[in-house]
Amino acid sequence: MEQSNKSGFNSKLGVILAAAGSAIGLGNIWKFPYEAGQNGGGAFLIVYLLCVILFGMPLLMTEMLIGRKAGKATFSAFRAISGSNRWQWLGWWSALTVFIITCFYFVVTGWCVNYLYEAVANSYAGMGTDELLTHFTANMSNAPKMIICAIIPVLCTAAILWFGVSSGIERLSKILMPLLLLMMILMSIRVLMLDGSGTGLRFFFSPDFSQLTPSVVMKAAGQCFFSLSVGLGLMITYGAYMPKEQDVTKTSFQVILLDTIVAVLAGVIIFPAVFAFGFDPAEGPQLVFVVLPAVLQHMSFAWLSGVAFFTLLFIAALTSTISLMEVIVVSIMELSQGKLNRHHSVLISAAVICVMVSIHVLSMTGLWSGLQLFGHNLFELSDTLVTTYMMPFSALAMSLFIGWFMPFQDNDLVPHSQKRYKQWLRPAFVFALRWIVPIAIILIFLNGLGIFKL
Ligand code: TRP
């Protein structure tokens, strides 16, 4: 990757903003509540939080440290660090995973665009629970409209990458993200005042351990990698632009804390509302897009709240799509061995993504919804494949690669601190990476696949 395109990252705040921008997105506000709703509420939350501490923290720190050490983005970093091409496949695996994520992520970003438009036009105002559900389905079956809605964010992201202004967007998000947080706090207060919200809070916060099946654990682990954008080596890119004196532990901790706060807050808005309005928590991917309009209608300044919320959600999604599409752009440039420049690569990626996103939209509408594999359409298949299998697998490979095969001296790649109270950090970190992360992921896999019973 050309360093020049990322200029502006050379400040501490820049890296934190970019990493947090990549992490916080639809994964927190759309995916987390729907996964929690389908997988036992409180039980899912507990496992999720455990995974964040056990997997998210060591992996995020490592990725940033690798980047800082290698001073290079993902692909070249693997080669530079291992000194051979043996681990190159991991780079390609990441790129493939990111590509699949990008395809369905833009579809959901398109839903945001659609609801932003509806918020402006005030068209979901006054709808009840059932109406909101049929309204969503009606929207989805309008393929041309949904394709246009999904292509708009593809073009926005491509434009941002083309002009190399992503650091500008991240700076903008410094103002907008706190606003999103504020908006979500106001919404949660409103929701908690609704009759019957207690049931939702209990569903989300008091774990029913009988719900804790192997597949719930697998989904929660996958969701942790997805939400933190961790395990694919993506954060290596951000580490590469990190000033040497920046405290990696602190930066990762801040990113993780912010990401988790946003996810939990999304749950605090969605679940009380689900029970108060009579939705089904296991509604699936459409969950938040039917519940949020219901909540927003009940806010004071309803129109303004709706427009503000969906605008902020769209920006949060964009800072994530920037980080996703950037990987694809860089991969194409690497693949062409320098024959294609950044602009060519942005054009090619945008074209391919537009086609793939359209196919994903069509897979959900009447036209192609008959085409199913394992009982899922293409959209659900991409979503599940990535979250439950591909991301945990690459996180496993990454921890083995770094923990066991890295020829560098440990010193460079583990966080260490002069402060005495932080002395435990280094051994704990090495131990987590070498043993806890790989063994736990393998056990979760075997358990989830029914090969091994925990
Ligand atoms: N973490 C983002 C979210 O929660 C999604 C995302 C952006 C992502 N970049 C990624 C996920 C890279 C995996 C890998 O919305």
Side-chain angles (χ1 to χ4, degrees):
M1 183 191 312
E2 303 131 309
Q3 297 269 352
S4 57
N5 281 307
K6 285 273 183 174
S7 57
F9 260 165
N10 43 11
S11 75
K12 287 185 190 182
L13 190 64
V15 180
I16 299 176
L17 285 178
S22 164
I24 299 170
L26 298 173
N28 310 59
I29 296 169
W30 158 71
K31 200 162 168 37
F32 177 78
Y34 106 68
E35 294 274 10
Q38 278 185 330
N39 294 292
F44 183 91
L45 176 64
I46 295 265
V47 184
Y48 176 80
L49 292 176
L50 273 177
C51 289
V52 166
I53 295 167
L54 225 57
F55 301 151
M57 194 71 195
L59 278 169
L60 183 56
M61 284 200 285
T62 316
E63 290 193 8
M64 288 187 165
L65 283 160
I66 293 185
R68 193 169 66 174
K69 173 74 194 175
K72 292 199 173 71
T74 319
F75 283 96
S76 334
F78 283 119
R79 204 180 308 130
I81 288 173
S82 63
S84 80
N85 284 334
R86 257 214 337 247
W87 286 88
Q88 189 71 353
W89 65 269
L90 191 52
W92 288 113
W93 175 267
S94 302
L96 177 68
T97 313
V98 166
F99 180 65
I100 301 176
I101 296 175
T102 309
C103 297
F104 72 83
Y105 205 89
F106 272 117
V107 175
V108 185
T109 313
W111 300 355
C112 293
V113 173
N114 176 53
Y115 276 88
L116 173 58
Y117 169 75
E118 296 202 351
V120 174
N122 218 5
S123 51
Y124 58 71
M127 286 190 188
T129 307
D130 292 338
E131 267 174 295
L132 282 167
L133 282 164
T134 40
H135 181 66
F136 182 88
T137 320
N139 266 323
M140 289 307 120
S141 50
N142 186 347
K145 181 174 157 198
M146 295 324 289
I147 289 178
I148 292 172
C149 285
I151 283 180
I152 292 172
V154 178
L155 298 182
C156 292
T157 311
I160 292 165
L161 293 177
W162 175 282
F163 293 109
V165 290
S166 47
S167 54
I169 299 293
E170 265 120 26
R171 261 155 225 284
L172 183 69
S173 75
K174 184 174 95 177
I175 308 158
L176 296 181
M177 285 309 106
L179 274 182
L180 177 67
L181 214 58
L182 177 70
M183 188 72 216
M184 289 178 75
I185 292 171
L186 292 178
M187 286 165 78
S188 60
I189 294 172
R190 178 67 191 90
V191 158
L192 294 178
M193 287 174 354
L194 293 169
D195 275 346
S197 61
T199 323
L201 282 184
R202 238 168 287 128
F203 174 82
F204 188 45
F205 284 118
S206 73
D208 168 5
F209 287 109
S210 66
Q211 303 267 352
L212 207 59
T213 61
S215 109
V216 168
V217 178
M218 225 166 140
K219 294 243 167 77
Q223 172 64 23
C224 148
F225 299 124
F226 184 90
S227 183
L228 295 172
S229 313
V230 100
L232 290 174
L234 209 80
M235 293 288 178
I236 292 177
T237 313
Y238 300 119
Y241 300 97
M242 212 146 124
K244 289 275 176 268
E245 72 285 356
Q246 186 162 347
D247 185 342
V248 171
T249 320
K250 204 164 125 198
T251 310
S252 337
F253 187 73
Q254 285 166 333
V255 170
I256 289 181
L257 191 68
L258 275 174
D259 191 78
T260 310
I261 290 175
V262 175
V264 172
L265 209 52
V268 172
I269 297 171
I270 297 295
F271 293 113
V274 160
F275 287 92
F277 294 127
F279 289 101
D280 174 8
E283 194 66 63
Q286 67 262 46
L287 180 72
V288 299
F289 286 94
V290 290
V291 177
L292 286 173
V295 174
L296 287 163
Q297 281 176 38
H298 284 79
M299 303 284 292
S300 25
F301 307 107
W303 181 83
L304 190 65
S305 300
V307 175
F309 178 79
F310 283 113
T311 307
L312 294 169
L313 186 60
F314 178 65
I315 303 288
L318 268 192
T319 54
S320 296
T321 57
I322 291 171
S323 83
L324 288 164
M325 198 160 153
E326 170 74 14
V327 175
I328 300 173
V329 169
V330 173
S331 310
I332 292 181
M333 274 157 60
E334 290 230 347
L335 204 60
S336 79
Q337 293 174 333
K339 284 192 207 65
L340 297 174
N341 67 23
R342 189 176 183 81
H343 285 172
H344 296 142
S345 183
V346 169
L347 283 183
I348 296 172
S349 338
V352 174
I353 293 170
C354 283
V355 172
M356 290 305 294
V357 162
S358 309
I359 295 176
H360 275 73
V361 169
L362 288 173
S363 82
M364 306 181 74
T365 60
L367 206 55
W368 290 1
S369 58
L371 286 181
Q372 300 216 333
L373 205 63
F374 310 115
H376 293 295
N377 62 36
L378 183 63
F379 172 85
E380 294 160 347
L381 214 59
S382 298
D383 183 356
T384 314
L385 189 68
V386 162
T387 322
T388 321
Y389 302 100
M390 292 180 82
M391 289 204 69
F393 176 78
S394 87
L396 170 66
M398 190 80 77
S399 64
L400 292 175
F401 168 55
I402 302 157
W404 295 98
F405 297 99
M406 194 86 83
F408 279 151
Q409 284 179 339
D410 277 355
N411 248 342
D412 296 322
L413 285 157
V414 288
H416 45 275
S417 168
Q418 312 308 338
K419 296 198 186 104
R420 276 205 61 176
Y421 72 94
K422 280 189 180 170
Q423 291 299 312
W424 56 270
L425 207 68
R426 196 189 132 144
F429 177 83
V430 177
F431 184 75
L433 210 66
R434 288 196 151 180
W435 298 101
I436 300 179
V437 177
I439 292 177
I441 297 180
I442 291 172
L443 287 182
I444 290 173
F445 253 125
L446 295 180
N447 192 36
L449 298 174
I451 300 169
F452 171 80
K453 282 254 165 295
L454 278 179

